[in-house]
Amino acid sequence: MELRHLRYFATVAQTCHFGRAAVLLHVAQPALSQAIRQLEAELGAALFTRTTRQVRLTPAGEFLHDEAKRVLGSVDDSVRGVRRIAQGRLGLVRMAFTGTSAFTHLPRIVRVLRRELPDVALEIHTDLLTPAQCDGLRDDSIDLGLLRPPATGEEISVRTIEVEPLVLAVPAHHRLADEPLLAMPDLATESFVLYSNPDSAVNEAVVRRCRQAGFLPHHEHDAPGTAALLALVAAGLGIALVPASARAMPLTGVVFRDVAGAGSVELALAWREHRESALVTSVLDVLGVLFAADRQPVQKAAG
Amino acid sequence: MELRHLRYFATVAQTCHFGRAAVLLHVAQPALSQAIRQLEAELGAALFTRTTRQVRLTPAGEFLHDEAKRVLGSVDDSVRGVRRIAQGRLGLVRMAFTGTSAFTHLPRIVRVLRRELPDVALEIHTDLLTPAQCDGLRDDSIDLGLLRPPATGEEISVRTIEVEPLVLAVPAHHRLADEPLLAMPDLATESFVLYSNPDSAVNEAVVRRCRQAGFLPHHEHDAPGTAALLALVAAGLGIALVPASARAMPLTGVVFRDVAGAGSVELALAWREHRESALVTSVLDVLGVLFAADRQPVQKAAG
DNA sequence: TAAAAATACTCCATAGGTATTTTAT
DNA sequence: ATAAAATACCTATGGAGTATTTTTA
């Protein structure tokens, strides 16, 4: 038996008329008669009682009509499902976020993905720093990461979505708070508050810049996150270089200053380069639009 | 798309090996490769990632594998269902019983049908006398009847399953209770208790026999069923001719006597003669065995 | 007698076979 | 080097078309 038989049968059952069914199916009437007889022979069951004047379903035909409709509908659904999966519009994406990116970007990402790709389920992994995300991509435990480059490993593709300059956070009454212009060497003798996590990409950027300026940051205190770090600065325990977005959480007793040559940190989407799935591609497309819209007004303001 | 594609695909998905799948499917490997490529082209989706060394399902293929197994299983189930319906082993039979046959035969019929044809559902219609059953058969509201012949109408087939002689029920102290031999003319002057229902086949047989003996039964009282009828006889309100099975409900004050020429009533299965369904046929087969087993010991006892 | 299904017969599309090539490990 | 999938090409089955016959209401 083939779906052809079921399709032909369902149409004849619907119309109870071989001629009209043949028209609907775009085949000649004898071809239909033949296919139905063939089906009946294979099943060992009469499906229609037919005279030249009247075609009626037998009980077995009645049953098969229901079944055929179900099966054909089911096949259609399967085809639709396969196509949507192949188009990356149906499936599960496991997405990782760093601690800070979760707060700043996760809500918008989830919202836009639910709107644009409603049949793509999201599995969210939070508090994964860059190296953990790279591992996750490599061992296929996540599909997409929001991390701070550089991502280690050749097989990982990266698309930067945001560049944040590092800015100086100093206690309000610190000597550097009032300097007209600051450059990296000015920080050489200061005590730094750093992030606790040894894998922190921000820390790494800070240390790299300090080394380029000819010194290593003197590190007395550290904090698990930006909020805690700023609190320590406010308390006068040291200075810190933090992403510019930290200005969004103002704290009395902390002053933010631009520093020439302080560099910047990036936030980027990362995914497996090879065997890239249609799902990841379509998610990247949607997120690309989202972050392009982000950048657009900034460029206008600058130009 | 045809079931062939799904069958081929499911086997390749199972084995992840075109060569072995081809062996299982009894086709050559190139035919399989070709069919799968054709399926992929139609779906617009890659179903396998394949090198010469390794065949793996894509996410779309993974999905289609589940769907294909479901659809193919569903088709198999449908085929089995159609075959069983065509064999009369699956379906619904609407069966009618007369008032008395319901008590005497319905339990055994239901029991044996549930055992021999477990997937045949029974819809029981009770208290339908012979003419009502004939109507039901004709207008297709019942499929099978247990009635007392003769059944009116040419298009109804009948198979007698039981012949019961009519016997005389008389009050214990009635003059006929002690007569050595009785014949119909002896009843000519008696008062009869009859069944209330004007369509009663037993009444008709009684009246016919009386008429053949040259009299019409003098009818003073009637009763809706055999039990009530015997009660009236016990009360001395008259005599009655009843099926011999009435001896199975003995009542103090009632004596049963054989009467020469009293005739008999039959119980028969009845069904539509033309367009007879496989279902009715298989039910008749089972009931045929049941009632043949009934008759066998009786014949032995008689012979 | 007329409408519709079945039958007879033909044709070609394509499923599937064989032989061979390509490719990845 | 080898196993396995892809490709090339050919064959033949059978699906579908046209013409005709049969059937029944």
Side-chain angles (χ1 to χ4, degrees):
Chain A
M1 196 203 299
E2 290 298 333
L3 287 179
R4 182 176 63 90
H5 294 107
L6 293 183
R7 285 190 256 263
Y8 284 11
F9 168 74
T11 306
V12 176
Q14 201 97 47
T15 58
C16 277
H17 193 291
F18 281 73
R20 274 192 282 281
V23 171
L24 289 175
L25 290 164
H26 308 294
V27 293
Q29 168 261 314
L32 242 190
S33 291
Q34 189 177 317
I36 299 293
R37 297 195 87 72
Q38 195 174 314
L39 180 60
E40 290 179 316
E42 180 178 349
L43 293 175
L47 299 172
F48 297 100
T49 53
R50 38 200 189 275
T51 68
T52 56
R53 291 285 170 182
Q54 148 159 291
V55 172
R56 276 222 329 272
L57 284 165
T58 62
E62 207 79 72
F63 173 82
L64 187 62
H65 189 197
D66 291 341
E67 292 293 296
K69 282 188 289 188
R70 255 205 26 239
V71 165
L72 293 172
S74 193
V75 168
D76 278 356
D77 291 346
S78 301
V79 169
R80 263 193 292 278
V82 166
R83 291 200 170 124
R84 291 203 321 188
I85 291 170
Q87 290 166 8
R89 301 174 359 86
L90 171 64
L92 170 71
V93 170
R94 298 157 301 172
M95 190 165 184
F97 291 84
T98 61
T100 49
S101 69
F103 286 104
T104 50
H105 293 100
L106 188 150
R108 288 199 313 156
I109 287 174
V110 170
R111 204 177 310 125
V112 74
L113 285 178
R114 284 200 73 83
R115 193 182 66 223
E116 299 297 321
L117 298 169
D119 297 325
V120 171
L122 283 176
E123 185 177 292
I124 303 292
H125 299 245
T126 53
D127 290 315
L128 286 179
L129 294 189
T130 299
Q133 290 194 26
C134 291
D135 292 346
L137 288 169
R138 261 189 296 272
D139 68 18
D140 197 21
S141 64
I142 67 169
D143 301 303
L144 203 57
L146 199 60
L147 49 72
R148 294 204 180 275
T152 58
E154 268 303 304
E155 63 266 43
I156 292 174
S157 293
V158 158
R159 181 196 297 165
T160 298
I161 59 166
E162 206 175 61
V163 180
E164 290 188 71
L166 290 174
V167 297
L168 183 68
V170 290
H173 303 300
H174 193 279
R175 65 173 184 93
L176 293 176
D178 299 318
E179 284 290 322
L181 280 170
L182 291 175
M184 284 302 289
D186 299 326
L187 315 181
T189 59
E190 295 297 324
S191 171
F192 275 73
V193 184
L194 296 176
Y195 289 91
S196 311
N197 195 306
D199 292 329
S200 161
V202 175
N203 270 7
E204 213 199 308
V206 168
V207 172
R208 191 168 61 246
R209 285 293 170 163
C210 289
R211 181 172 285 136
Q212 284 171 4
F215 67 97
L216 280 178
H218 181 209
H219 163 216
E220 272 181 13
H221 301 279
D222 53 48
T226 304
L229 188 146
L230 293 179
L232 297 189
V233 171
L237 298 184
I239 67 170
L241 284 167
V242 295
S245 63
R247 284 189 153 131
M249 26 179 149
L251 207 62
T252 41
V254 176
V255 171
F256 293 101
R257 300 295 313 275
D258 291 335
V259 177
S264 58
V265 289
E266 296 178 15
L267 197 62
L269 287 165
W271 63 95
R272 267 181 302 285
E273 191 167 23
H274 303 297
R275 211 189 116 238
E276 66 200 26
S277 73
L279 194 49
V280 168
T281 304
S282 74
V283 167
L284 284 172
D285 285 351
V286 169
L287 297 184
V289 171
L290 173 67
F291 292 119
D294 262 17
R295 241 190 316 280
Q296 210 62 21
V298 175
Q299 289 177 337
K300 274 179 185 164
Chain B
M1 196 201 300
E2 291 298 334
L3 287 179
R4 183 175 64 89
H5 294 108
L6 292 184
R7 285 191 257 263
Y8 285 10
F9 168 74
T11 306
V12 177
Q14 201 97 47
T15 57
C16 278
H17 192 292
F18 280 73
R20 274 192 283 281
V23 171
L24 289 174
L25 290 163
H26 308 294
V27 293
Q29 168 261 314
L32 241 191
S33 292
Q34 189 178 318
I36 299 294
R37 297 195 87 72
Q38 195 174 314
L39 180 59
E40 290 180 318
E42 180 177 350
L43 294 175
L47 298 172
F48 298 100
T49 54
R50 36 202 191 273
T51 68
T52 57
R53 290 286 169 181
Q54 148 161 292
V55 172
R56 276 219 332 271
L57 284 165
T58 61
E62 206 80 71
F63 172 82
L64 187 62
H65 188 198
D66 291 340
E67 292 293 296
K69 281 187 290 189
R70 254 207 23 240
V71 166
L72 292 172
S74 192
V75 168
D76 278 356
D77 291 346
S78 301
V79 169
R80 264 192 292 278
V82 167
R83 291 201 169 122
R84 290 204 320 190
I85 291 171
Q87 290 165 9
R89 301 172 0 83
L90 171 65
L92 169 72
V93 170
R94 299 157 301 173
M95 190 165 182
F97 292 84
T98 62
T100 49
S101 69
F103 286 103
T104 52
H105 293 100
L106 188 150
R108 289 198 313 157
I109 287 174
V110 170
R111 204 178 309 123
V112 73
L113 285 179
R114 285 200 72 82
R115 192 181 69 224
E116 299 297 321
L117 299 169
D119 297 324
V120 171
L122 283 175
E123 186 178 292
I124 303 292
H125 298 245
T126 53
D127 290 315
L128 285 180
L129 293 190
T130 299
Q133 291 193 25
C134 291
D135 291 346
L137 288 169
R138 262 189 295 272
D139 69 18
D140 197 23
S141 64
I142 67 168
D143 301 302
L144 204 57
L146 199 60
L147 49 73
R148 295 204 179 276
T152 57
E154 269 303 305
E155 63 267 42
I156 292 174
S157 292
V158 157
R159 181 194 299 165
T160 299
I161 58 167
E162 206 177 59
V163 180
E164 291 188 70
L166 289 174
V167 298
L168 184 68
V170 289
H173 303 298
H174 194 277
R175 66 172 181 94
L176 293 176
D178 299 318
E179 285 291 321
L181 280 172
L182 292 175
M184 284 301 289
D186 299 327
L187 315 180
T189 59
E190 296 297 324
S191 171
F192 276 74
V193 184
L194 296 176
Y195 289 90
S196 312
N197 196 307
D199 292 329
S200 161
V202 175
N203 270 6
E204 213 197 310
V206 169
V207 171
R208 193 169 58 244
R209 284 294 169 163
C210 290
R211 181 171 286 137
Q212 284 171 4
F215 67 95
L216 281 178
H218 181 210
H219 163 215
E220 273 181 13
H221 300 279
D222 54 48
T226 303
L229 188 146
L230 293 178
L232 296 189
V233 171
L237 298 185
I239 67 171
L241 284 167
V242 295
S245 62
R247 284 186 154 132
M249 28 176 148
L251 205 62
T252 41
V254 175
V255 170
F256 294 101
R257 299 294 313 276
D258 291 334
V259 177
S264 58
V265 289
E266 297 179 15
L267 197 61
L269 287 165
W271 63 96
R272 266 181 302 285
E273 191 167 24
H274 303 298
R275 212 190 116 237
E276 67 200 26
S277 75
L279 194 49
V280 168
T281 304
S282 73
V283 167
L284 284 172
D285 285 350
V286 169
L287 297 184
V289 172
L290 174 67
F291 291 119
D294 261 17
R295 243 190 314 280
Q296 211 63 22
V298 174
Q299 289 178 336
K300 272 177 188 164

mmCIF file of all heavy atoms in Angstrom, chain A residues 50-70:
data_model
loop_
_atom_site.group_PDB
_atom_site.id
_atom_site.type_symbol
_atom_site.label_atom_id
_atom_site.label_comp_id
_atom_site.label_asym_id
_atom_site.label_seq_id
_atom_site.Cartn_x
_atom_site.Cartn_y
_atom_site.Cartn_z
ATOM 1 N N ARG A 50 -20.576 -0.935 -5.108
ATOM 2 C CA ARG A 50 -20.795 -0.026 -6.230
ATOM 3 C C ARG A 50 -21.628 -0.670 -7.336
ATOM 4 O O ARG A 50 -21.452 -1.826 -7.681
ATOM 5 C CB ARG A 50 -19.474 0.473 -6.787
ATOM 6 C CG ARG A 50 -18.328 -0.522 -6.838
ATOM 7 C CD ARG A 50 -17.057 0.314 -6.936
ATOM 8 N NE ARG A 50 -15.828 -0.384 -7.193
ATOM 9 C CZ ARG A 50 -15.071 -0.958 -6.268
ATOM 10 N NH1 ARG A 50 -15.486 -1.015 -5.027
ATOM 11 N NH2 ARG A 50 -13.912 -1.505 -6.573
ATOM 12 N N THR A 51 -22.528 0.117 -7.832
ATOM 13 C CA THR A 51 -23.210 -0.197 -9.073
ATOM 14 C C THR A 51 -22.848 0.972 -9.971
ATOM 15 O O THR A 51 -22.096 1.856 -9.574
ATOM 16 C CB THR A 51 -24.729 -0.257 -8.873
ATOM 17 O OG1 THR A 51 -25.199 1.054 -8.596
ATOM 18 C CG2 THR A 51 -25.089 -1.186 -7.729
ATOM 19 N N THR A 52 -23.357 0.978 -11.184
ATOM 20 C CA THR A 52 -23.047 2.121 -12.049
ATOM 21 C C THR A 52 -23.791 3.361 -11.568
ATOM 22 O O THR A 52 -23.471 4.469 -11.964
ATOM 23 C CB THR A 52 -23.449 1.828 -13.509
ATOM 24 O OG1 THR A 52 -24.828 1.475 -13.528
ATOM 25 C CG2 THR A 52 -22.618 0.703 -14.076
ATOM 26 N N ARG A 53 -24.770 3.163 -10.711
ATOM 27 C CA ARG A 53 -25.602 4.293 -10.281
ATOM 28 C C ARG A 53 -25.268 4.781 -8.879
ATOM 29 O O ARG A 53 -25.664 5.874 -8.494
ATOM 30 C CB ARG A 53 -27.090 3.890 -10.315
ATOM 31 C CG ARG A 53 -27.637 3.691 -11.702
ATOM 32 C CD ARG A 53 -27.866 5.014 -12.408
ATOM 33 N NE ARG A 53 -28.165 4.811 -13.825
ATOM 34 C CZ ARG A 53 -28.361 5.811 -14.674
ATOM 35 N NH1 ARG A 53 -28.299 7.052 -14.272
ATOM 36 N NH2 ARG A 53 -28.600 5.550 -15.943
ATOM 37 N N GLN A 54 -24.596 3.973 -8.126
ATOM 38 C CA GLN A 54 -24.444 4.360 -6.715
ATOM 39 C C GLN A 54 -23.190 3.730 -6.118
ATOM 40 O O GLN A 54 -22.952 2.532 -6.282
ATOM 41 C CB GLN A 54 -25.709 3.913 -5.972
ATOM 42 C CG GLN A 54 -25.518 3.515 -4.532
ATOM 43 C CD GLN A 54 -26.819 3.589 -3.775
ATOM 44 O OE1 GLN A 54 -27.349 4.669 -3.547
ATOM 45 N NE2 GLN A 54 -27.333 2.443 -3.382
ATOM 46 N N VAL A 55 -22.403 4.564 -5.475
ATOM 47 C CA VAL A 55 -21.189 4.100 -4.797
ATOM 48 C C VAL A 55 -21.360 4.371 -3.311
ATOM 49 O O VAL A 55 -21.640 5.508 -2.916
ATOM 50 C CB VAL A 55 -19.948 4.840 -5.335
ATOM 51 C CG1 VAL A 55 -18.726 4.509 -4.497
ATOM 52 C CG2 VAL A 55 -19.722 4.494 -6.799
ATOM 53 N N ARG A 56 -21.241 3.325 -2.496
ATOM 54 C CA ARG A 56 -21.370 3.532 -1.046
ATOM 55 C C ARG A 56 -20.250 2.823 -0.311
ATOM 56 O O ARG A 56 -19.759 1.788 -0.753
ATOM 57 C CB ARG A 56 -22.718 2.992 -0.533
ATOM 58 C CG ARG A 56 -23.848 3.967 -0.706
ATOM 59 C CD ARG A 56 -24.818 4.046 0.505
ATOM 60 N NE ARG A 56 -24.955 2.817 1.239
ATOM 61 C CZ ARG A 56 -25.834 1.846 0.959
ATOM 62 N NH1 ARG A 56 -26.632 1.978 -0.076
ATOM 63 N NH2 ARG A 56 -25.898 0.789 1.713
ATOM 64 N N LEU A 57 -19.849 3.391 0.826
ATOM 65 C CA LEU A 57 -18.800 2.783 1.634
ATOM 66 C C LEU A 57 -19.337 1.560 2.367
ATOM 67 O O LEU A 57 -20.458 1.582 2.872
ATOM 68 C CB LEU A 57 -18.279 3.794 2.661
ATOM 69 C CG LEU A 57 -17.345 4.876 2.125
ATOM 70 C CD1 LEU A 57 -17.208 5.997 3.145
ATOM 71 C CD2 LEU A 57 -15.988 4.289 1.804
ATOM 72 N N THR A 58 -18.540 0.514 2.430
ATOM 73 C CA THR A 58 -18.838 -0.611 3.316
ATOM 74 C C THR A 58 -18.399 -0.219 4.729
ATOM 75 O O THR A 58 -17.739 0.807 4.914
ATOM 76 C CB THR A 58 -18.042 -1.852 2.890
ATOM 77 O OG1 THR A 58 -16.653 -1.542 3.008
ATOM 78 C CG2 THR A 58 -18.353 -2.250 1.456
ATOM 79 N N PRO A 59 -18.744 -1.026 5.734
ATOM 80 C CA PRO A 59 -18.247 -0.720 7.083
ATOM 81 C C PRO A 59 -16.720 -0.639 7.120
ATOM 82 O O PRO A 59 -16.157 0.267 7.740
ATOM 83 C CB PRO A 59 -18.764 -1.893 7.914
ATOM 84 C CG PRO A 59 -19.990 -2.356 7.196
ATOM 85 C CD PRO A 59 -19.704 -2.150 5.737
ATOM 86 N N ALA A 60 -16.047 -1.567 6.421
ATOM 87 C CA ALA A 60 -14.579 -1.518 6.382
ATOM 88 C C ALA A 60 -14.120 -0.223 5.716
ATOM 89 O O ALA A 60 -13.150 0.402 6.160
ATOM 90 C CB ALA A 60 -14.034 -2.728 5.634
ATOM 91 N N GLY A 61 -14.829 0.197 4.656
ATOM 92 C CA GLY A 61 -14.477 1.430 3.968
ATOM 93 C C GLY A 61 -14.688 2.645 4.858
ATOM 94 O O GLY A 61 -13.870 3.562 4.892
ATOM 95 N N GLU A 62 -15.783 2.624 5.580
ATOM 96 C CA GLU A 62 -16.086 3.687 6.542
ATOM 97 C C GLU A 62 -14.922 3.863 7.532
ATOM 98 O O GLU A 62 -14.430 4.971 7.759
ATOM 99 C CB GLU A 62 -17.342 3.263 7.316
ATOM 100 C CG GLU A 62 -18.192 4.372 7.872
ATOM 101 C CD GLU A 62 -19.085 4.999 6.797
ATOM 102 O OE1 GLU A 62 -20.085 4.349 6.356
ATOM 103 O OE2 GLU A 62 -18.791 6.130 6.442
ATOM 104 N N PHE A 63 -14.483 2.730 8.056
ATOM 105 C CA PHE A 63 -13.361 2.738 9.001
ATOM 106 C C PHE A 63 -12.103 3.277 8.329
ATOM 107 O O PHE A 63 -11.435 4.168 8.847
ATOM 108 C CB PHE A 63 -13.133 1.312 9.513
ATOM 109 C CG PHE A 63 -11.899 1.147 10.358
ATOM 110 C CD1 PHE A 63 -11.914 1.485 11.696
ATOM 111 C CD2 PHE A 63 -10.735 0.638 9.797
ATOM 112 C CE1 PHE A 63 -10.779 1.323 12.477
ATOM 113 C CE2 PHE A 63 -9.588 0.473 10.571
ATOM 114 C CZ PHE A 63 -9.616 0.820 11.908
ATOM 115 N N LEU A 64 -11.806 2.749 7.136
ATOM 116 C CA LEU A 64 -10.575 3.170 6.464
ATOM 117 C C LEU A 64 -10.629 4.647 6.079
ATOM 118 O O LEU A 64 -9.592 5.308 6.052
ATOM 119 C CB LEU A 64 -10.318 2.311 5.214
ATOM 120 C CG LEU A 64 -8.962 2.565 4.550
ATOM 121 C CD1 LEU A 64 -7.824 2.223 5.497
ATOM 122 C CD2 LEU A 64 -8.819 1.792 3.256
ATOM 123 N N HIS A 65 -11.805 5.151 5.807
ATOM 124 C CA HIS A 65 -11.928 6.569 5.469
ATOM 125 C C HIS A 65 -11.429 7.430 6.634
ATOM 126 O O HIS A 65 -10.611 8.332 6.444
ATOM 127 C CB HIS A 65 -13.387 6.911 5.141
ATOM 128 C CG HIS A 65 -13.560 8.302 4.579
ATOM 129 N ND1 HIS A 65 -14.778 8.934 4.545
ATOM 130 C CD2 HIS A 65 -12.670 9.168 4.041
ATOM 131 C CE1 HIS A 65 -14.618 10.132 4.011
ATOM 132 N NE2 HIS A 65 -13.352 10.297 3.703
ATOM 133 N N ASP A 66 -11.906 7.126 7.815
ATOM 134 C CA ASP A 66 -11.436 7.859 9.002
ATOM 135 C C ASP A 66 -9.924 7.723 9.166
ATOM 136 O O ASP A 66 -9.209 8.707 9.381
ATOM 137 C CB ASP A 66 -12.132 7.327 10.262
ATOM 138 C CG ASP A 66 -13.607 7.677 10.273
ATOM 139 O OD1 ASP A 66 -14.000 8.590 9.536
ATOM 140 O OD2 ASP A 66 -14.369 7.036 11.021
ATOM 141 N N GLU A 67 -9.459 6.487 9.042
ATOM 142 C CA GLU A 67 -8.029 6.236 9.232
ATOM 143 C C GLU A 67 -7.210 6.975 8.176
ATOM 144 O O GLU A 67 -6.178 7.563 8.488
ATOM 145 C CB GLU A 67 -7.749 4.734 9.130
ATOM 146 C CG GLU A 67 -8.336 3.935 10.270
ATOM 147 C CD GLU A 67 -7.659 4.254 11.576
ATOM 148 O OE1 GLU A 67 -6.465 3.987 11.713
ATOM 149 O OE2 GLU A 67 -8.343 4.789 12.476
ATOM 150 N N ALA A 68 -7.678 6.921 6.942
ATOM 151 C CA ALA A 68 -6.933 7.549 5.846
ATOM 152 C C ALA A 68 -6.834 9.058 6.069
ATOM 153 O O ALA A 68 -5.770 9.652 5.901
ATOM 154 C CB ALA A 68 -7.604 7.248 4.507
ATOM 155 N N LYS A 69 -7.945 9.663 6.479
ATOM 156 C CA LYS A 69 -7.908 11.099 6.757
ATOM 157 C C LYS A 69 -6.890 11.387 7.850
ATOM 158 O O LYS A 69 -6.095 12.327 7.740
ATOM 159 C CB LYS A 69 -9.304 11.595 7.164
ATOM 160 C CG LYS A 69 -10.240 11.791 5.991
ATOM 161 C CD LYS A 69 -11.549 12.457 6.396
ATOM 162 C CE LYS A 69 -12.423 11.517 7.209
ATOM 163 N NZ LYS A 69 -13.772 12.057 7.447
ATOM 164 N N ARG A 70 -6.910 10.571 8.887
ATOM 165 C CA ARG A 70 -5.965 10.769 9.988
ATOM 166 C C ARG A 70 -4.526 10.631 9.501
ATOM 167 O O ARG A 70 -3.680 11.482 9.779
ATOM 168 C CB ARG A 70 -6.227 9.753 11.105
ATOM 169 C CG ARG A 70 -6.902 10.331 12.323
ATOM 170 C CD ARG A 70 -6.590 9.506 13.567
ATOM 171 N NE ARG A 70 -5.334 8.794 13.469
ATOM 172 C CZ ARG A 70 -5.202 7.478 13.558
ATOM 173 N NH1 ARG A 70 -6.261 6.720 13.728
ATOM 174 N NH2 ARG A 70 -4.020 6.927 13.475
#
